[in-house]
Amino acid sequence: MSVFDKAIDLQPDGDGRFRGSTVPEWANMVGPFGGITAAALVRAIQLHPECHGDPIAVTVNYVAPIADGDFDVETKLVRTNRSNQHWIVEQHQSGEVKTTATAVFGVRRDTWADAELAPPPALDPDGLAQAESPLTWFSNYDIRYVDGAVPTIEGTASASSTTTLWVRHNPPRPLDFAALTAVGDIFYPRVFRRRGQFLPAGTVTLTIYFHASGDEITAAGADYVLGTARAHQFTRGYFDQTAHLWSRGGTPLATSHQYVYFKG
Amino acid sequence: MSVFDKAIDLQPDGDGRFRGSTVPEWANMVGPFGGITAAALVRAIQLHPECHGDPIAVTVNYVAPIADGDFDVETKLVRTNRSNQHWIVEQHQSGEVKTTATAVFGVRRDTWADAELAPPPALDPDGLAQAESPLTWFSNYDIRYVDGAVPTIEGTASASSTTTLWVRHNPPRPLDFAALTAVGDIFYPRVFRRRGQFLPAGTVTLTIYFHASGDEITAAGADYVLGTARAHQFTRGYFDQTAHLWSRGGTPLATSHQYVYFKG
């Protein structure tokens, strides 16, 4: 079982409850990488016997730091409509809420479609260096920066918050909705890029809109995903961060938005 | 009491519950304008005796159509941290969940700040025509399109989904967090603009990040707010829509994101 699959491996515990455990390989500065927590919550809904369809939109709120060890995920099916389903999810440890989420799942159907936003120009990943990081979870991915790599300690401020990168699992693992959820949180905090330095920062809320169907995600395989992220406003201890993700072939996969707390 | 304040007028009903009623002046195609529902949920949290600080991020999920008449709002304080608070909210009618929300509230403090995204160029609202619409709720606002007005019946398709507009309450009413929440949903569905026609469409989830402090919102007064909105991807019955809002003086107020269901 891959280190990703271990982290989202949940055991049913009755009544929409699931049991999981943190995996040391996903450690971030404090607790696990936020993307892997989001992926586990999405997986919990997928494991629910009444789950119908695929993820359409998910919002994950990071309430309190997750400790190493076991956690419970409580999924509540709010309502099933003709074409979609609404969920509320809570992740608990020792009786305390650590994460909350709401999700819309549904069955998609063919309509008029248009990719109004095109993928940014990017050199082929094979010609780019694999990025390194002291963060434990980072080595579960093969990340290749096209533009806007993590600033070095002596980095300089940038007028642009944009980073563009290629990412795939390391070792390669086929993409699915849970894996795509985690990739929605792959970009380091934009304030690092603007200020050219590391600062205390943490996502308080993450929203992902899934554009791709299950078939399109399967077609993306274990190949690199292209992503580009930027911020719009930094103000009074918070900034926003938006990322767009495409398959290597150019299929729009997802858009993610987050609001991030920072000091400095 | 203004028609806006009537719609968010809630009576405490014990244990974090509040009672409200739909107001006919806010009628949309089906049920009330989504923005006024979001505003009522934000107001419910603000009325909770344990509410601390101002809205930082709110996600509202439109679960089922709201009928004319009374509704209950159930607010649950998930956790109060040093600098923020997490909430889960449900709106009920006759025992059925109609809307869910999560919210982060908090106290902001001065940090490094930068408006990376500048307001778009816009003619002065006084020189622009006030827009009209057959939708009941629309006349509670004075909306002046700078670019990308609602297509007419014989409208033509557009390669761009962008609309830029000025908006204030009609009659004028000072901005506050609840009113700003509603303005986060002020833009008509972007698929109308792209296709040059009305189509069945409805927001399934709306997320708002509040950039402004209470003081900045007070300073915006009853004057026009400038907004610009666009979509990025239209695919299989859904599209995304992002809006950025500024005070007339150019202060960033909020960013909103929504995922919208459509047919056609």
Side-chain angles (χ1 to χ4, degrees), chain A residues 79-122:
Chain A
R79 186 186 175 107
T80 300
N81 291 312
R82 201 158 29 164
S83 68
N84 70 31
Q85 242 184 2
H86 284 264
W87 297 86
I88 295 178
V89 182
E90 293 186 13
Q91 184 191 36
H92 298 136
Q93 280 186 320
S94 314
E96 283 185 8
V97 182
K98 297 301 181 82
T99 318
T100 64
T102 57
V104 185
F105 272 55
V107 179
R108 319 247 343 199
R109 71 216 135 60
D110 285 336
T111 56
W112 176 80
D114 187 73
E116 187 167 324
L117 186 72

Short mmCIF file of all heavy atoms in Angstrom, two decimals, chain A residues 79-122:
data_model
loop_
_atom_site.label_atom_id
_atom_site.label_comp_id
_atom_site.label_asym_id
_atom_site.label_seq_id
_atom_site.Cartn_x
_atom_site.Cartn_y
_atom_site.Cartn_z
N ARG A 79 -28.56 15.64 2.67
CA ARG A 79 -29.69 15.47 1.75
C ARG A 79 -29.19 14.93 0.41
O ARG A 79 -28.12 15.32 -0.06
CB ARG A 79 -30.38 16.82 1.53
CG ARG A 79 -31.66 16.73 0.70
CD ARG A 79 -32.21 18.12 0.41
NE ARG A 79 -33.35 18.09 -0.47
CZ ARG A 79 -34.61 18.30 -0.09
NH1 ARG A 79 -34.89 18.58 1.16
NH2 ARG A 79 -35.59 18.25 -0.97
N THR A 80 -29.98 14.07 -0.19
CA THR A 80 -29.72 13.61 -1.55
C THR A 80 -30.78 14.21 -2.46
O THR A 80 -31.98 13.98 -2.26
CB THR A 80 -29.77 12.07 -1.64
OG1 THR A 80 -28.78 11.53 -0.77
CG2 THR A 80 -29.50 11.59 -3.05
N ASN A 81 -30.35 15.03 -3.41
CA ASN A 81 -31.26 15.58 -4.42
C ASN A 81 -31.20 14.73 -5.68
O ASN A 81 -30.50 13.72 -5.72
CB ASN A 81 -30.85 17.03 -4.74
CG ASN A 81 -31.11 17.97 -3.58
OD1 ASN A 81 -32.20 17.96 -3.00
ND2 ASN A 81 -30.11 18.78 -3.23
N ARG A 82 -31.91 15.16 -6.72
CA ARG A 82 -31.92 14.38 -7.96
C ARG A 82 -30.52 14.26 -8.54
O ARG A 82 -30.10 13.20 -8.95
CB ARG A 82 -32.85 15.05 -8.98
CG ARG A 82 -33.33 14.11 -10.05
CD ARG A 82 -34.60 14.64 -10.68
NE ARG A 82 -34.61 16.10 -10.58
CZ ARG A 82 -35.42 16.89 -11.28
NH1 ARG A 82 -36.27 16.35 -12.14
NH2 ARG A 82 -35.40 18.20 -11.15
N SER A 83 -29.78 15.39 -8.55
CA SER A 83 -28.47 15.33 -9.21
C SER A 83 -27.30 15.56 -8.26
O SER A 83 -26.15 15.48 -8.68
CB SER A 83 -28.41 16.33 -10.36
OG SER A 83 -28.42 17.65 -9.84
N ASN A 84 -27.57 15.87 -7.00
CA ASN A 84 -26.44 16.04 -6.08
C ASN A 84 -26.76 15.63 -4.65
O ASN A 84 -27.91 15.34 -4.32
CB ASN A 84 -25.86 17.46 -6.16
CG ASN A 84 -26.81 18.50 -5.58
OD1 ASN A 84 -27.57 18.25 -4.66
ND2 ASN A 84 -26.76 19.70 -6.14
N GLN A 85 -25.73 15.64 -3.83
CA GLN A 85 -25.80 15.19 -2.44
C GLN A 85 -24.99 16.17 -1.59
O GLN A 85 -23.89 16.55 -1.98
CB GLN A 85 -25.09 13.83 -2.33
CG GLN A 85 -25.93 12.72 -1.92
CD GLN A 85 -25.14 11.42 -1.75
OE1 GLN A 85 -23.92 11.37 -1.91
NE2 GLN A 85 -25.86 10.38 -1.42
N HIS A 86 -25.51 16.51 -0.42
CA HIS A 86 -24.80 17.42 0.49
C HIS A 86 -24.36 16.68 1.75
O HIS A 86 -25.14 15.92 2.33
CB HIS A 86 -25.68 18.60 0.86
CG HIS A 86 -25.81 19.62 -0.22
ND1 HIS A 86 -25.03 20.75 -0.26
CD2 HIS A 86 -26.60 19.67 -1.32
CE1 HIS A 86 -25.35 21.46 -1.34
NE2 HIS A 86 -26.31 20.82 -1.99
N TRP A 87 -23.13 16.94 2.16
CA TRP A 87 -22.52 16.28 3.32
C TRP A 87 -21.94 17.29 4.29
O TRP A 87 -21.46 18.35 3.87
CB TRP A 87 -21.36 15.37 2.85
CG TRP A 87 -21.77 14.25 1.97
CD1 TRP A 87 -21.93 14.29 0.61
CD2 TRP A 87 -22.08 12.91 2.37
NE1 TRP A 87 -22.32 13.05 0.15
CE2 TRP A 87 -22.42 12.19 1.21
CE3 TRP A 87 -22.10 12.24 3.61
CZ2 TRP A 87 -22.78 10.84 1.24
CZ3 TRP A 87 -22.45 10.91 3.64
CH2 TRP A 87 -22.79 10.22 2.46
N ILE A 88 -21.96 16.92 5.57
CA ILE A 88 -21.19 17.62 6.60
C ILE A 88 -20.27 16.59 7.25
O ILE A 88 -20.72 15.47 7.57
CB ILE A 88 -22.09 18.28 7.67
CG1 ILE A 88 -22.93 19.40 7.05
CG2 ILE A 88 -21.25 18.83 8.83
CD1 ILE A 88 -23.88 20.07 8.04
N VAL A 89 -19.02 16.94 7.42
CA VAL A 89 -18.02 16.00 7.95
C VAL A 89 -17.27 16.66 9.10
O VAL A 89 -16.97 17.86 9.05
CB VAL A 89 -17.02 15.59 6.83
CG1 VAL A 89 -16.00 14.59 7.37
CG2 VAL A 89 -17.76 15.02 5.64
N GLU A 90 -16.99 15.88 10.13
CA GLU A 90 -16.14 16.35 11.23
C GLU A 90 -15.07 15.31 11.52
O GLU A 90 -15.35 14.12 11.54
CB GLU A 90 -16.95 16.57 12.52
CG GLU A 90 -17.94 17.71 12.42
CD GLU A 90 -18.64 17.99 13.76
OE1 GLU A 90 -18.17 17.48 14.80
OE2 GLU A 90 -19.64 18.71 13.74
N GLN A 91 -13.86 15.79 11.74
CA GLN A 91 -12.77 14.91 12.16
C GLN A 91 -12.48 15.18 13.63
O GLN A 91 -12.32 16.34 14.03
CB GLN A 91 -11.51 15.20 11.33
CG GLN A 91 -10.36 14.25 11.65
CD GLN A 91 -9.06 14.70 11.02
OE1 GLN A 91 -8.81 15.90 10.94
NE2 GLN A 91 -8.24 13.76 10.59
N HIS A 92 -12.47 14.12 14.43
CA HIS A 92 -12.27 14.24 15.88
C HIS A 92 -11.03 13.50 16.33
O HIS A 92 -10.66 12.49 15.74
CB HIS A 92 -13.46 13.61 16.63
CG HIS A 92 -14.76 14.26 16.38
ND1 HIS A 92 -15.93 13.56 16.14
CD2 HIS A 92 -15.10 15.56 16.30
CE1 HIS A 92 -16.93 14.41 15.95
NE2 HIS A 92 -16.45 15.62 16.04
N GLN A 93 -10.44 14.00 17.41
CA GLN A 93 -9.40 13.28 18.16
C GLN A 93 -9.68 13.51 19.64
O GLN A 93 -9.82 14.68 20.06
CB GLN A 93 -8.01 13.80 17.82
CG GLN A 93 -7.45 13.24 16.53
CD GLN A 93 -6.00 13.68 16.30
OE1 GLN A 93 -5.65 14.82 16.57
NE2 GLN A 93 -5.18 12.77 15.80
N SER A 94 -9.78 12.44 20.40
CA SER A 94 -10.03 12.54 21.85
C SER A 94 -11.18 13.49 22.15
O SER A 94 -11.10 14.33 23.05
CB SER A 94 -8.78 13.04 22.58
OG SER A 94 -7.63 12.35 22.15
N GLY A 95 -12.25 13.37 21.39
CA GLY A 95 -13.45 14.16 21.66
C GLY A 95 -13.39 15.61 21.21
O GLY A 95 -14.35 16.35 21.38
N GLU A 96 -12.28 16.02 20.61
CA GLU A 96 -12.17 17.41 20.13
C GLU A 96 -12.27 17.45 18.61
O GLU A 96 -11.67 16.63 17.92
CB GLU A 96 -10.81 18.00 20.52
CG GLU A 96 -10.73 18.41 21.97
CD GLU A 96 -9.41 19.10 22.28
OE1 GLU A 96 -8.64 19.39 21.34
OE2 GLU A 96 -9.16 19.33 23.46
N VAL A 97 -13.00 18.45 18.11
CA VAL A 97 -13.08 18.63 16.65
C VAL A 97 -11.76 19.21 16.16
O VAL A 97 -11.31 20.24 16.65
CB VAL A 97 -14.25 19.56 16.26
CG1 VAL A 97 -14.32 19.68 14.75
CG2 VAL A 97 -15.57 19.05 16.82
N LYS A 98 -11.16 18.55 15.17
CA LYS A 98 -9.90 19.03 14.60
C LYS A 98 -10.11 19.63 13.21
O LYS A 98 -9.38 20.54 12.81
CB LYS A 98 -8.89 17.87 14.50
CG LYS A 98 -8.50 17.30 15.87
CD LYS A 98 -7.90 18.36 16.77
CE LYS A 98 -7.47 17.85 18.14
NZ LYS A 98 -6.16 17.22 18.15
N THR A 99 -11.08 19.12 12.49
CA THR A 99 -11.33 19.57 11.12
C THR A 99 -12.83 19.47 10.86
O THR A 99 -13.47 18.52 11.33
CB THR A 99 -10.58 18.69 10.10
OG1 THR A 99 -9.28 18.40 10.59
CG2 THR A 99 -10.47 19.33 8.74
N THR A 100 -13.39 20.43 10.12
CA THR A 100 -14.76 20.28 9.64
C THR A 100 -14.75 20.40 8.12
O THR A 100 -13.81 20.94 7.54
CB THR A 100 -15.70 21.38 10.20
OG1 THR A 100 -15.27 22.65 9.69
CG2 THR A 100 -15.71 21.41 11.72
N ALA A 101 -15.80 19.89 7.50
CA ALA A 101 -15.90 20.01 6.05
C ALA A 101 -17.35 19.97 5.62
O ALA A 101 -18.19 19.38 6.32
CB ALA A 101 -15.12 18.87 5.36
N THR A 102 -17.64 20.62 4.51
CA THR A 102 -18.90 20.38 3.82
C THR A 102 -18.53 19.92 2.41
O THR A 102 -17.47 20.28 1.89
CB THR A 102 -19.79 21.63 3.71
OG1 THR A 102 -19.07 22.67 3.06
CG2 THR A 102 -20.22 22.11 5.10
N ALA A 103 -19.38 19.10 1.83
CA ALA A 103 -19.09 18.60 0.48
C ALA A 103 -20.37 18.47 -0.33
O ALA A 103 -21.42 18.15 0.22
CB ALA A 103 -18.38 17.25 0.56
N VAL A 104 -20.24 18.73 -1.61
CA VAL A 104 -21.30 18.43 -2.57
C VAL A 104 -20.77 17.33 -3.47
O VAL A 104 -19.67 17.47 -4.05
CB VAL A 104 -21.67 19.67 -3.42
CG1 VAL A 104 -22.85 19.36 -4.33
CG2 VAL A 104 -21.97 20.87 -2.53
N PHE A 105 -21.49 16.24 -3.55
CA PHE A 105 -21.17 15.16 -4.48
C PHE A 105 -22.28 15.13 -5.53
O PHE A 105 -23.37 15.66 -5.30
CB PHE A 105 -21.14 13.80 -3.76
CG PHE A 105 -19.79 13.47 -3.17
CD1 PHE A 105 -19.15 14.33 -2.29
CD2 PHE A 105 -19.16 12.27 -3.49
CE1 PHE A 105 -17.91 14.02 -1.74
CE2 PHE A 105 -17.92 11.94 -2.95
CZ PHE A 105 -17.29 12.81 -2.07
N GLY A 106 -22.02 14.51 -6.66
CA GLY A 106 -23.09 14.46 -7.65
C GLY A 106 -22.71 13.67 -8.87
O GLY A 106 -21.56 13.24 -9.03
N VAL A 107 -23.70 13.50 -9.72
CA VAL A 107 -23.51 12.81 -10.99
C VAL A 107 -23.48 13.90 -12.06
O VAL A 107 -24.39 14.73 -12.13
CB VAL A 107 -24.66 11.82 -11.25
CG1 VAL A 107 -24.46 11.14 -12.59
CG2 VAL A 107 -24.74 10.81 -10.12
N ARG A 108 -22.43 13.93 -12.86
CA ARG A 108 -22.29 14.97 -13.87
C ARG A 108 -22.89 14.47 -15.18
O ARG A 108 -23.00 13.27 -15.42
CB ARG A 108 -20.81 15.31 -14.05
CG ARG A 108 -20.06 15.37 -12.74
CD ARG A 108 -19.52 16.62 -12.22
NE ARG A 108 -19.34 17.75 -13.03
CZ ARG A 108 -18.50 18.76 -12.66
NH1 ARG A 108 -17.78 18.66 -11.57
NH2 ARG A 108 -18.41 19.83 -13.39
N ARG A 109 -23.27 15.43 -16.01
CA ARG A 109 -23.79 15.01 -17.32
C ARG A 109 -23.28 15.99 -18.36
O ARG A 109 -22.87 17.10 -18.02
CB ARG A 109 -25.32 14.94 -17.26
CG ARG A 109 -26.01 16.21 -17.17
CD ARG A 109 -27.25 16.24 -16.32
NE ARG A 109 -27.13 17.46 -15.52
CZ ARG A 109 -27.04 18.68 -16.04
NH1 ARG A 109 -27.08 18.88 -17.36
NH2 ARG A 109 -26.89 19.74 -15.27
N ASP A 110 -23.30 15.55 -19.60
CA ASP A 110 -22.73 16.37 -20.66
C ASP A 110 -23.57 17.62 -20.89
O ASP A 110 -24.80 17.55 -20.98
CB ASP A 110 -22.60 15.56 -21.95
CG ASP A 110 -21.43 14.59 -21.87
OD1 ASP A 110 -20.51 14.85 -21.08
OD2 ASP A 110 -21.45 13.56 -22.58
N THR A 111 -22.91 18.74 -20.98
CA THR A 111 -23.53 20.02 -21.30
C THR A 111 -22.56 20.76 -22.20
O THR A 111 -21.47 20.28 -22.49
CB THR A 111 -23.74 20.88 -20.04
OG1 THR A 111 -22.46 21.04 -19.39
CG2 THR A 111 -24.73 20.26 -19.07
N TRP A 112 -22.95 21.96 -22.57
CA TRP A 112 -22.00 22.89 -23.19
C TRP A 112 -20.81 23.03 -22.24
O TRP A 112 -20.99 23.03 -21.03
CB TRP A 112 -22.70 24.24 -23.40
CG TRP A 112 -21.78 25.30 -23.95
CD1 TRP A 112 -21.41 25.46 -25.24
CD2 TRP A 112 -21.12 26.33 -23.21
NE1 TRP A 112 -20.55 26.53 -25.35
CE2 TRP A 112 -20.36 27.09 -24.12
CE3 TRP A 112 -21.09 26.69 -21.87
CZ2 TRP A 112 -19.59 28.19 -23.75
CZ3 TRP A 112 -20.32 27.79 -21.48
CH2 TRP A 112 -19.58 28.52 -22.41
N ALA A 113 -19.63 23.07 -22.79
CA ALA A 113 -18.43 23.16 -21.95
C ALA A 113 -17.43 24.09 -22.61
O ALA A 113 -17.41 24.23 -23.84
CB ALA A 113 -17.81 21.78 -21.76
N ASP A 114 -16.64 24.77 -21.78
CA ASP A 114 -15.59 25.61 -22.33
C ASP A 114 -14.52 25.85 -21.28
O ASP A 114 -14.82 26.15 -20.12
CB ASP A 114 -16.14 26.96 -22.81
CG ASP A 114 -15.07 27.76 -23.54
OD1 ASP A 114 -14.75 27.39 -24.68
OD2 ASP A 114 -14.53 28.72 -22.97
N ALA A 115 -13.27 25.69 -21.70
CA ALA A 115 -12.14 25.98 -20.82
C ALA A 115 -11.77 27.44 -21.04
O ALA A 115 -10.97 27.75 -21.91
CB ALA A 115 -10.98 25.05 -21.14
N GLU A 116 -12.38 28.34 -20.25
CA GLU A 116 -12.12 29.76 -20.46
C GLU A 116 -10.69 30.11 -20.03
O GLU A 116 -10.07 31.01 -20.59
CB GLU A 116 -13.13 30.61 -19.69
CG GLU A 116 -13.00 32.08 -20.02
CD GLU A 116 -14.18 32.93 -19.53
OE1 GLU A 116 -15.33 32.43 -19.57
OE2 GLU A 116 -13.95 34.07 -19.12
N LEU A 117 -10.20 29.39 -19.03
CA LEU A 117 -8.82 29.60 -18.58
C LEU A 117 -7.94 28.50 -19.16
O LEU A 117 -8.18 27.31 -18.92
CB LEU A 117 -8.75 29.57 -17.05
CG LEU A 117 -7.39 29.94 -16.47
CD1 LEU A 117 -7.11 31.43 -16.61
CD2 LEU A 117 -7.30 29.53 -15.00
N ALA A 118 -6.93 28.88 -19.91
CA ALA A 118 -6.02 27.90 -20.51
C ALA A 118 -4.85 27.64 -19.56
O ALA A 118 -4.51 28.49 -18.74
CB ALA A 118 -5.49 28.44 -21.83
N PRO A 119 -4.23 26.46 -19.65
CA PRO A 119 -3.06 26.21 -18.81
C PRO A 119 -1.94 27.20 -19.15
O PRO A 119 -1.83 27.63 -20.30
CB PRO A 119 -2.64 24.78 -19.17
CG PRO A 119 -3.58 24.28 -20.22
CD PRO A 119 -4.59 25.34 -20.50
N PRO A 120 -1.14 27.57 -18.17
CA PRO A 120 -0.04 28.50 -18.44
C PRO A 120 1.05 27.81 -19.24
O PRO A 120 1.17 26.58 -19.20
CB PRO A 120 0.48 28.86 -17.04
CG PRO A 120 0.16 27.67 -16.21
CD PRO A 120 -1.12 27.10 -16.77
N PRO A 121 1.87 28.57 -19.98
CA PRO A 121 3.00 27.94 -20.69
C PRO A 121 3.94 27.32 -19.66
O PRO A 121 4.15 27.87 -18.59
CB PRO A 121 3.67 29.12 -21.40
CG PRO A 121 3.11 30.37 -20.79
CD PRO A 121 1.83 30.02 -20.12
N ALA A 122 4.44 26.14 -19.98
CA ALA A 122 5.33 25.45 -19.04
C ALA A 122 6.29 24.56 -19.79
O ALA A 122 5.89 23.83 -20.70
CB ALA A 122 4.50 24.60 -18.06
#
